[in-house]
Amino acid sequence: MALHPREHNILKGLKAEKILDIGSGLGYTAEELERLFPKCYGVEPQLNSLLTDQAKTSYQIAKNFFVVAGRGDGLPFLNNTFSGAFSHWSIHHYTYPTTVLTEVYRVVEPGGWLYICLLYTSPSPRDLSTSRMPSSA
């Protein structure tokens, strides 16, 4: 289990038809995310990560998880494509994380959500939170 049980409970309470996983890496969270959400798309900037045996296995197990090579600061998706976005231990790798957040805002539909988890040693409930995108007026 790649997700902490508290994270799993938070995500279980979020509704989304299609989500984006920013920085999918070797696919450690792919199977868990696809059990929580009907369709999952991942973006991973390290193409060599996607070619490892671990990644191939993870992404083959997760049948409703589709991963593409790309970067969070230039997401290869149309506006309002996703109901929610997920970033697990990845956003801190970007030189300009505000650019990533701007891109997420662009591809997540109004009223959607963003879940970000940064490195932690032992999460407390106050460390784990979710933000909602503003609804369109």
Side-chain angles (χ1 to χ4, degrees):
M1 184 177 210
L3 296 174
H4 188 280
R6 288 184 184 153
E7 291 181 290
H8 193 270
N9 285 336
I10 290 170
L11 291 168
K12 193 168 57 175
L14 298 173
K15 303 297 177 219
E17 287 300 311
K18 185 169 31 171
I19 68 155
L20 173 63
D21 179 9
I22 305 157
S24 301
L26 299 177
Y28 292 121
T29 59
E31 189 177 1
E32 290 177 79
L33 289 175
E34 76 141 6
R35 277 185 279 188
L36 292 167
F37 305 104
K39 274 197 177 156
C40 304
Y41 289 79
V43 63
E44 172 54 45
Q46 302 288 331
L47 184 57
N48 58 343
S49 293
L50 299 176
L51 301 176
T52 65
D53 289 339
Q54 172 63 50
K56 289 177 186 175
T57 300
S58 295
Y59 294 123
Q60 284 174 352
I61 290 171
K63 302 294 183 205
N64 294 321
F65 194 104
F66 311 96
V67 66
V68 298
R71 295 180 50 88
D73 53 8
L75 294 169
F77 301 102
L78 297 174
N79 296 354
N80 304 322
T81 299
F82 301 98
S83 310
F86 172 87
S87 176
H88 200 255
W89 296 13
S90 65
I91 207 162
H92 61 278
H93 292 292
Y94 287 96
T95 305
Y96 301 104
T98 53
T99 304
V100 177
L101 296 175
T102 300
E103 278 293 280
V104 170
Y105 182 79
R106 180 183 66 77
V107 301
V108 173
E109 61 194 23
W113 52 264
L114 168 61
Y115 177 89
I116 296 175
C117 177
L118 298 174
L119 295 173
Y120 60 79
T121 54
S122 178
S124 69
R126 64 176 164 56
D127 295 331
L128 304 172
S129 64
T130 303
S131 297
R132 290 240 174 237
M133 300 294 165
S135 297
S136 59

